[in-house]
Amino acid sequence: MKKHRLAAAVALVGLVLAGCDSQTSVELETPAQKASYGIGLNMGKSLAQEGMDDLDSKAVAQGIEDAIGKKEQRLKDEELIEAFAFLQKRAEERMAAMNEESAKAGKKFLEDNAKREGVVTTESGLQYEVLTKAEGAQPKANDVVTVHYEGKLTDGSVFDSSIERGSPIDLPVSGVIPGWVEGLQLMHVGEKYKLYIPSELAYGEQSPTPAIPANSVLVFELELLSIKDAGASAEQ
């Protein structure tokens, strides 16, 4: 995280906290008040995710109050730069440790899972098991398919589900994460697979959402409903 990003985030959180001694004194009636709370809430979550969960809210509010009141700042710029650098370094160290822990846990999970009956491990490291067998056509990389799915982390928490939304989705086989690209081409229309996708075949160290930590193994229940490509459909 860049120093200017941290400074901006702290300032935004401060906008909500300035002039407030406790949660009970905050009014959330007008659109501006609600938006202010939303800004603070989102930035607070972001800061906590990046290891900044011990920031002093009263000190943040004091900084905003001094700036708005055009008072002399209580710390020199050099001290602030040093403090930001410390927090940035600490956050990076924490994130690196969390990423390493996640990678180790994912590797252990896949090693154990590979020993279970019915689980197949491909050359790439993708693991799958067939939940429902069928004899339909198999999609190719340039096809568009209709699928139902539910994605979970290895602890069972759901991060995305077309099943919960009650609506299957259409997607290009070659336009998804590598684990899906490979897995879909193994399937026949009408089949349901369970995919266990190593992080390197998913998002790796780049977390697309706080719901999916970096280096996560992803577990999908995936049902191939149909192939939409006209040429492929004609072959069925």
Side-chain angles (χ1 to χ4, degrees):
M1 180 170 55
K2 303 297 184 183
K3 296 184 180 67
H4 69 271
R5 180 182 170 193
L6 174 60
V10 171
L12 283 170
V13 174
L15 287 173
V16 183
L17 297 172
C20 299
D21 294 327
S22 68
Q23 276 189 314
T24 56
S25 65
V26 177
E27 295 184 4
L28 302 174
E29 301 297 330
T30 70
Q33 289 171 335
K34 292 176 181 179
S36 298
Y37 176 76
I39 291 171
L41 187 66
N42 289 337
M43 295 309 302
K45 289 179 179 179
S46 177
L47 289 167
Q49 182 188 358
E50 298 188 38
M52 303 294 176
D53 51 353
D54 61 347
L55 290 177
D56 189 325
S57 60
K58 292 182 179 179
V60 173
Q62 186 65 63
I64 293 294
E65 183 179 342
D66 287 351
I68 293 176
K70 298 181 180 179
K71 299 177 183 179
E72 182 177 353
Q73 64 185 57
R74 305 180 183 218
L75 295 172
K76 296 179 181 179
D77 287 343
E78 292 79 5
E79 293 178 280
L80 295 175
I81 291 172
E82 182 179 355
F84 287 142
F86 171 80
L87 290 182
Q88 179 183 347
K89 184 174 183 293
R90 189 189 63 178
E92 290 173 348
E93 290 173 346
R94 285 181 176 179
M95 191 61 65
M98 289 174 58
N99 290 351
E100 183 178 357
E101 177 90 21
S102 180
K104 288 181 179 178
K107 182 179 180 181
K108 178 67 164 56
F109 172 86
L110 292 170
E111 288 176 349
D112 293 341
N113 193 58
K115 300 172 185 176
R116 292 196 306 108
E117 184 178 355
V119 174
V120 179
T121 303
T122 70
E123 187 176 346
S124 71
L126 174 70
Q127 296 180 357
Y128 70 91
E129 56 183 319
V130 180
L131 304 181
T132 302
K133 185 73 176 173
E135 300 297 331
Q138 287 181 284
K140 302 182 293 293
N142 60 348
D143 283 333
V144 174
V145 296
T146 303
V147 300
H148 243 331
Y149 70 92
E150 183 165 78
K152 299 180 181 181
L153 301 179
T154 56
D155 64 4
S157 57
V158 177
F159 58 81
D160 192 15
S161 175
S162 70
I163 297 172
E164 285 186 0
R165 292 190 295 272
S167 178
I169 66 167
D170 297 339
L171 52 85
V173 173
S174 60
V176 288
I177 58 175
W180 268 48
V181 174
E182 180 180 356
L184 282 168
Q185 293 181 82
L186 295 172
M187 300 178 70
H188 297 79
V189 171
E191 288 189 327
K192 182 184 290 186
Y193 274 30
K194 195 165 188 177
L195 303 179
Y196 305 89
I197 304 179
S199 63
E200 60 268 22
L201 298 179
Y203 299 105
E205 295 182 356
Q206 302 302 314
S207 172
T209 166
I212 302 177
N215 292 329
S216 291
V217 171
L218 306 184
V219 180
F220 285 95
E221 286 196 13
L222 179 62
E223 183 177 7
L224 180 57
L225 300 176
S226 65
I227 301 173
K228 294 184 71 69
D229 178 83
S233 298
E235 297 172 5
Q236 294 184 38

